[in-house]
Amino acid sequence: MTYWALNAVFLAVVAVVALAAVLSRRAPEWRAVGLTALAVLLMTAVFDNVMIAADLFWYNPDRISGAFLGLAPLEDFAYAIAAVVLLPSLWHLIGGPNDVR
């Protein structure tokens, strides 16, 4: 299984939860999610490149697309996107503390 195939499973779950939040009119502020995504993706790019350069982990070349941002394969950024969209969507769906909606 490729990393993109694995990512597709997680991203599909995230899409379902985000869609449920939108349809229930309890979606997060997407501008805030977008700004957070930019920050998290930037930090992911920096730290993943440092960790890969330090040889803390590696990717099986047979399982990646071959597209990189520095040393990090693009597939590595899907988890950051999933977290940034999933967590606030869930928070608004379950009505976390101080959720005024």
Side-chain angles (χ1 to χ4, degrees):
M1 175 182 285
T2 66
Y3 290 113
W4 277 125
L6 182 60
N7 288 341
V9 173
F10 287 101
L11 292 174
V13 171
V14 170
V16 168
V17 172
L19 182 62
V22 168
L23 293 176
S24 71
R25 300 186 200 286
R26 301 196 67 180
E29 294 293 330
W30 294 111
R31 177 182 277 177
V33 171
L35 291 173
T36 302
L38 287 175
V40 170
L41 289 171
L42 178 65
M43 290 187 299
T44 300
V46 170
F47 290 109
D48 281 7
N49 275 285
V50 168
M51 290 187 292
I52 292 168
D55 219 15
L56 294 176
F57 63 92
W58 56 274
Y59 291 91
N60 183 336
D62 297 332
R63 305 271 191 250
I64 60 174
S65 66
F68 293 89
L69 187 60
L71 298 173
L74 288 184
E75 293 93 320
D76 202 29
F77 294 90
Y79 299 107
I81 293 168
V84 167
V85 173
L86 179 65
L87 294 176
S89 294
L90 276 175
W91 186 261
H92 287 283
L93 274 175
I94 64 173
N98 302 320
D99 186 8
V100 294
R101 292 182 192 207

